[in-house]
Amino acid sequence: MCVSGVCVCVSIYRQGCEMERNGEVQEQMERPEALTDGERATIQNTWAKVYENKEAAGVAVLMRLFTSFPSAKQFFSQFRHIDDPEEMQASTQLRKHALRVMSALNTLVENVHDGEKTAEVLKVVAKSHAVKHNVEPGYFKILAGVILEVLVEAFPETFGTEAQGAWSKLMAVVYWHVTQVYAEIGWGSINNTAE
Ligand code: HEM
């Protein structure tokens, strides 16, 4: 946070901190720990069941996002003014985005051992969201939390403590890559210590 031009770090997410730019809080964070082989296996094993139900799971995630954080709707031209959950859920734009998110997550899970592919996929996503859709990066963090919450609720037998730990790390990796890309294209002044 910055006070009278002096910026200090405020820990908010794993060893993260915040910077302010144009009145908006921008996050700084260190590179998250790499996933272990065991965590990678857990992620792949737990994802199979979710992806079998990709449409229902994806829509549940986005519905939770938009009902718990209605400001996230502002980026979607076709349902930004809709408050009625049933009407929102029927939106083609929402359902399409749900599948896109699930499909991108599937690619990340399939390539969880491949750091280059992970970076490449997230670069494309982050770039389009920053430049084309003008989505503030903080919404990626919110969505990551919502994904975990919904998966734990929808698949309680699969998403026990171990799976939750592995998935939290994956979500931190996703968010870290996204913030790197946002910083590279000049969205915020993120000055992390990762190489
Ligand atoms: C892991 C997170 C996400 C993934 C994988 C993802 C993926 C995608 C993909 C593949 C597209 C279509 C291609 C493109 O334009 O890039 C898209 C479009 C879009 N995304 Fe996301 N997205 C994510 C998070 C978000 C968030 C958090 C928001 C805003 C709250 C958002 C808002 C949008 C919007 C407004 C579009 C354009 C929709 C349209 O034109 O119909 N996305 N997303």
Side-chain angles (χ1 to χ4, degrees):
M1 120 187 359
C2 303
V3 178
S4 308
V6 178
C7 298
V8 292
C9 288
V10 178
S11 177
I12 48 172
Y13 187 65
R14 294 187 155 249
Q15 306 104 2
C17 56
E18 296 174 349
M19 293 289 279
E20 206 169 310
R21 170 185 166 261
N22 299 335
E24 286 168 16
V25 171
Q26 299 293 319
E27 192 169 336
Q28 292 194 296
M29 54 189 294
E30 288 175 18
R31 184 169 200 147
E33 263 173 59
L35 292 156
T36 64
D37 285 345
E39 287 165 340
R40 291 183 171 122
T42 301
I43 286 167
Q44 290 189 322
N45 294 337
T46 51
W47 178 249
K49 191 155 184 203
V50 179
Y51 204 57
E52 273 169 31
N53 300 284
K54 61 183 172 198
E55 186 164 4
V59 170
V61 165
L62 288 194
M63 284 302 292
R64 182 71 57 86
L65 173 70
F66 297 129
T67 50
S68 301
F69 302 92
S71 65
K73 288 186 293 182
Q74 68 184 288
F75 308 103
F76 292 86
S77 56
Q78 290 173 26
F79 61 89
R80 63 164 69 113
H81 301 303
I82 298 178
D83 289 327
D84 176 53
E86 274 183 32
E87 212 184 319
M88 208 189 325
Q89 187 158 336
S91 156
T92 312
Q93 194 179 33
L94 185 149
R95 304 189 77 86
K96 220 163 148 185
H97 192 256
L99 281 174
R100 284 168 160 170
V101 171
M102 296 306 275
S103 164
L105 283 179
N106 188 53
T107 306
L108 293 179
V109 173
E110 279 179 350
N111 295 283
V112 75
H113 292 89
D114 184 342
E116 271 180 35
K117 180 76 181 173
T118 301
E120 191 187 301
V121 168
L122 291 169
K123 188 168 187 170
V124 173
V125 169
K127 233 178 179 168
S128 75
H129 286 68
V131 174
K132 209 162 132 196
H133 310 309
N134 217 18
V135 171
E136 287 148 39
Y139 285 104
F140 280 87
K141 184 163 101 178
I142 292 175
L143 179 61
V146 168
I147 289 171
L148 283 175
E149 185 180 285
V150 170
L151 293 184
V152 172
E153 276 175 34
F155 304 94
E157 281 163 23
T158 317
F159 282 83
T161 323
E162 195 188 326
Q164 286 177 39
W167 276 88
S168 303
K169 271 174 90 172
L170 179 64
M171 289 298 129
V173 168
V174 168
Y175 185 56
W176 184 80
H177 278 287
V178 167
T179 57
Q180 295 312 294
V181 177
Y182 270 78
E184 271 166 36
I185 61 176
W187 182 285
S189 61
I190 295 176
N191 173 30
N192 65 72
T193 57
E195 71 288 331

